[in-house]
Amino acid sequence: MSNKTLFSAYTTGYGYGLWVSDGTLGGTYNINRLTGSSFTAVGSGKLVFTAGTGSIGQELWVTNGTTAGTYLVKDIDPGPASSSPIDLTPLGNGQVLFDAIDGTGRELWVTDGTAAGTHQVEDINPGSNSSFAQWIAVLSPGTAVFAADDGTHGTELWVTDGTAGNTHMVKDVYPGSTGSNPYGITSLGNGKAVFRGYGTGTGAELFVTDGTASGTYLVDDIRPGVYGSSPRYFTAIGNGKALFSASTPTTGRELWVTDGTNAGTYSLNLNSGPESSNPRNLTAIGNGKALLQAYNPTHHNYELWVSDGTSGGTQPLGAYVPGIEFGPVIAGLGNGKAVFGGHDSHGYELWVTDGTAAGTYMLDDINPGAASSNPYDLTAIGNGQAMFRASDGVHGNELWITNGTLAGTYMVDDIVPGSGSSFPRDFGAIVPCYCPGTLILTAFGEVPVEKLVIGDRLVVRSGLTRAIKWIGRRSYHGRFALGRKDILPVCIKAGALGDQSPRRDLWISPHHAMYFEGLNPGGVLIEAKDLVNSISIVQAERPETVEYFHVELDTHDVIVAEGAFSESFIDDDSRGMFHNAHEYYALHPEPVSEPARYCAPRLSEGLEVETARQQIAMRAGLSLAANPQPAENLRGFVDEVNVHCIAGWAQNIDHPEAPVCLDIVAGGRVIGQTLANVYREDLELAGLGSGRHSFVFVPSSTDVFSPGEVEVRRSADHALLALSHMAGAATAA
């Protein structure tokens, strides 16, 4: 698809559909009513992607950017069931590798964009079991390595050329059934790839492979012992090198470089003191360089850096980019430049950098003045360009393009005319994109719910394991769900129910019940909708899509989701709500009709429900009378104060993993509340528990105040957070 990009966009009366653009108004148009994602080049001007319809589910499609040239490649899991292709990766020979389920297990597949050329490569974990092929990385055109579990050796490194005969395990790096669990496999571009893995006698450390057993080995035991340096964020920068982050007791988490050899692997140590720089959001920009964010302990914030893998070529650019960790807001243009979202007196706008301080500046004030255009989904599309969505304050959130110059930055098309928004998304970059879902505890560790298959054994509340009988799926367009409290998902924020419960934000359906122990001899079940308090447990209002997976065992039980106790599905005459209900009846053609039997009382009111609500409110700091707290047990700082963003961290020393509810006060008036429960790696590495203690509050555009009159206080007792040095200097100025 020369000079064209696929994306999804919304239009009134039509909903989301598939669009194509060449960056011009005339070349931007709707193809059909599909909503696609994971667009990946397959050669000959074509892209393969995933899309779903009610009749065939989520399957593999192909397009050349025309309506006639957009069609289903193959219904891998026939009928309304979904094969759900993920990790689409170009093999470099006109083929694409991916992971999919054909009704049995999830395995490695290959496609050339035709039905005849789309087939399972190998049934690595035979039968109905799944190998979960992932982290696919191309060593050379036609050869790739990936991680997979054959059911015997655990998850290990495999190699393939897209044929069954040449697909095999490279090496049993960690002998036995545990597996080395290769993670973040990244090609160096010279026939080798680096990855994180577990070796015998080591923790998670840096490995290299060339696709052979002899060429697969530990590069460096950076942190000797069982804990390991846990390398992450591998980013190839060219010349056979990659940047990554790794942690040691003496330096903390710092920036490292490797060429796949021990001698060529060393720390760039951005912060010379004891505090970690915690590098993140590494993005290659071409010319052997990458951008990254690194923590500045003096300023107590993250700053933009550039690195070419040498000490002399690793320098701060001095630009603070708030909120960059929350979304894909950096796009390398491939010519030594990158565009990103930056924040100054003009609001959150589009910035550009060439890797120098002088060449880092706001590119365009798209929404003029202090208002923000909020550039989002910045996606490199080749030819030194990137597409994104933004609002200029007149046309709503629409499709924009940039080449890193002011003249080359403009709105491509006002898809929904006037102030309405099309919310373009899922741009067809040549980079696969997969967002893992809720982590469910199985006999072999945590697995994203969408990767579970019938027969997988889940850990239940008793500590035993039980097999999955069926998995139900249902999805709705956001417009259908709008205003429907019975459909809109509920978010139970990290730590809302207890210490590390859940460990991450847990999104569930409103009628999905959580288990509470100790409220009666056998515990009780309470639906999520009955726990909403608008602070630590909230219900979504305007999601673009709503998708649910429900897991059913032989009988109703409590499973572990994101570390929290949550119920399994039970058929209370509601099975028909699932879009794949026919699959159940095919598996069980003569189901026995029995009354629903819950594993614990299911309550919507009464003393037990009120007790649970009160406990949750106390953890969120919402009840002063029931939870008196001394002011001295609060620690934290306000790190940033301006009219666009108020951010910092807070921790209750007596209950270190409990989220802290905070009032944001301006001029003596409470303008909002927020919860300090967002993960920040520097806090964890500083010894502050799980690190889930930061907050970011974005004031409403109607809130008018000066930074100097802002206070942040604990809601429960009005104990104040102090300003950090940097924030104090900023407000004084």
Side-chain angles (χ1 to χ4, degrees), residues 427-646:
F427 294 102
I430 315 304
V431 179
C433 178
Y434 173 62
C435 296
T438 303
L439 296 178
I440 305 297
L441 185 60
T442 76
F444 301 101
E446 291 184 312
V447 176
V449 66
E450 65 272 18
K451 282 196 169 187
L452 294 174
V453 297
I454 294 173
D456 284 350
R457 298 194 69 85
L458 306 186
V459 177
V460 297
R461 182 174 61 88
S462 66
L464 302 175
T465 63
R466 300 183 61 194
I468 296 175
K469 180 180 180 181
W470 183 67
I471 301 172
R473 302 186 299 273
R474 58 188 175 118
S475 60
Y476 311 93
H477 194 283
R479 292 180 63 209
F480 175 81
L482 189 65
R484 297 195 57 177
K485 296 292 187 180
D486 60 326
I487 292 177
L488 290 169
V490 172
C491 177
I492 301 176
K493 296 186 178 181
L497 305 179
D499 292 353
Q500 298 291 301
S501 179
R503 289 197 306 275
R504 305 189 308 170
D505 290 356
L506 172 62
W507 288 89
I508 56 178
S509 62
H511 292 285
H512 198 117
M514 303 300 295
Y515 177 82
F516 291 83
E517 215 164 6
L519 298 179
N520 75 26
V524 300
L525 295 164
I526 303 175
E527 293 183 4
K529 67 178 180 61
D530 295 320
L531 301 173
V532 171
N533 58 23
S534 300
I535 295 294
S536 61
I537 302 179
V538 299
Q539 187 164 27
E541 296 182 354
R542 303 182 67 87
E544 295 178 349
T545 59
V546 178
E547 186 174 12
Y548 292 126
F549 294 83
H550 287 244
V551 180
E552 183 176 6
L553 309 177
D554 282 332
T555 59
H556 192 239
D557 210 330
V558 174
I559 62 178
V560 186
E562 301 290 1
F565 286 148
S566 172
E567 71 170 341
S568 65
F569 171 69
I570 186 170
D571 185 14
D572 53 0
D573 294 326
S574 59
R575 193 183 304 278
M577 78 173 76
F578 297 103
H579 299 165
N580 64 327
H582 63 285
E583 296 176 5
Y584 178 87
Y585 297 115
L587 291 169
H588 308 281
E590 298 181 0
V592 179
S593 179
E594 296 180 347
R597 291 187 173 91
Y598 297 98
C599 65
R602 194 181 180 96
L603 307 176
S604 60
E605 59 185 16
L607 177 61
E608 292 91 344
V609 176
E610 291 306 315
T611 300
R613 289 171 175 165
Q614 185 178 28
Q615 290 174 350
I616 295 168
M618 289 169 61
R619 290 190 61 82
L622 294 175
S623 177
L624 176 60
N627 186 32
Q629 303 174 80
E632 57 266 23
N633 73 356
L634 179 68
R635 62 181 172 186
F637 287 102
V638 181
D639 295 326
E640 182 181 3
V641 181
N642 57 57
V643 297
H644 309 292
C645 178
I646 301 166

Side-chain angles (χ1 to χ4, degrees), residues 79 84 286 320 324 399 490 570 579 604 653:
S84 302
Y320 174 46
I324 199 170
L399 179 67
V490 172
I570 186 170
H579 299 165
S604 60
I653 299 173

Side-chain angles (χ1 to χ4, degrees), residues 166-324:
N166 290 318
T167 299
H168 58 85
M169 187 173 69
V170 176
K171 185 177 183 178
D172 193 5
V173 175
Y174 194 108
S177 60
T178 301
S180 63
N181 292 300
Y183 172 92
I185 306 172
T186 300
S187 174
L188 296 178
N190 58 1
K192 297 181 179 181
V194 291
F195 62 95
R196 183 180 83 192
Y198 290 84
T200 303
T202 74
E205 288 294 353
L206 179 68
F207 283 74
V208 68
T209 185
D210 63 1
T212 69
S214 61
T216 302
Y217 51 86
L218 177 72
V219 176
D220 191 1
D221 192 3
I222 295 173
R223 181 179 182 176
V226 297
Y227 293 103
S229 66
S230 191
R232 63 181 70 166
Y233 305 141
F234 294 103
T235 304
I237 60 173
N239 303 317
K241 295 182 179 180
L243 298 173
F244 65 99
S245 79
S247 179
T248 72
T250 55
T251 65
R253 183 162 292 278
E254 287 293 343
L255 185 68
W256 286 65
V257 64
T258 186
D259 62 1
T261 70
N262 184 273
T265 302
Y266 50 88
S267 174
L268 295 170
N269 203 18
L270 306 187
N271 285 344
S272 59
E275 290 197 68
S276 304
S277 68
N278 298 307
R280 59 178 64 180
N281 294 298
L282 280 70
T283 304
I285 63 173
N287 298 340
K289 297 179 181 179
L291 289 181
L292 63 134
Q293 270 193 302
Y295 184 72
N296 185 323
T298 302
H299 296 158
H300 302 287
N301 62 24
Y302 280 86
E303 293 181 339
L304 202 64
W305 284 63
V306 67
S307 179
D308 63 0
T310 68
S311 296
T314 302
Q315 301 291 332
L317 299 179
Y320 174 46
V321 190
I324 199 170

Side-chain angles (χ1 to χ4, degrees), residues 285-372:
I285 63 173
N287 298 340
K289 297 179 181 179
L291 289 181
L292 63 134
Q293 270 193 302
Y295 184 72
N296 185 323
T298 302
H299 296 158
H300 302 287
N301 62 24
Y302 280 86
E303 293 181 339
L304 202 64
W305 284 63
V306 67
S307 179
D308 63 0
T310 68
S311 296
T314 302
Q315 301 291 332
L317 299 179
Y320 174 46
V321 190
I324 199 170
E325 64 267 30
F326 301 118
V329 293
I330 296 180
L333 300 181
N335 55 6
K337 291 185 177 181
V339 288
F340 60 94
H343 204 182
D344 68 1
S345 60
H346 298 87
Y348 198 75
E349 292 291 351
L350 187 69
W351 285 57
V352 67
T353 183
D354 63 0
T356 68
T360 302
Y361 53 88
M362 186 182 71
L363 178 58
D364 191 3
D365 189 9
I366 295 174
N367 194 345
S372 299

Side-chain angles (χ1 to χ4, degrees), residues 494 648-651 658-662 674-678 692-695:
W649 66 276
Q651 183 189 43
V660 179
C661 183
L662 301 168
T674 189
L675 203 65
N677 75 331
V678 178
R692 296 187 175 276
H693 310 301
S694 72
F695 65 91

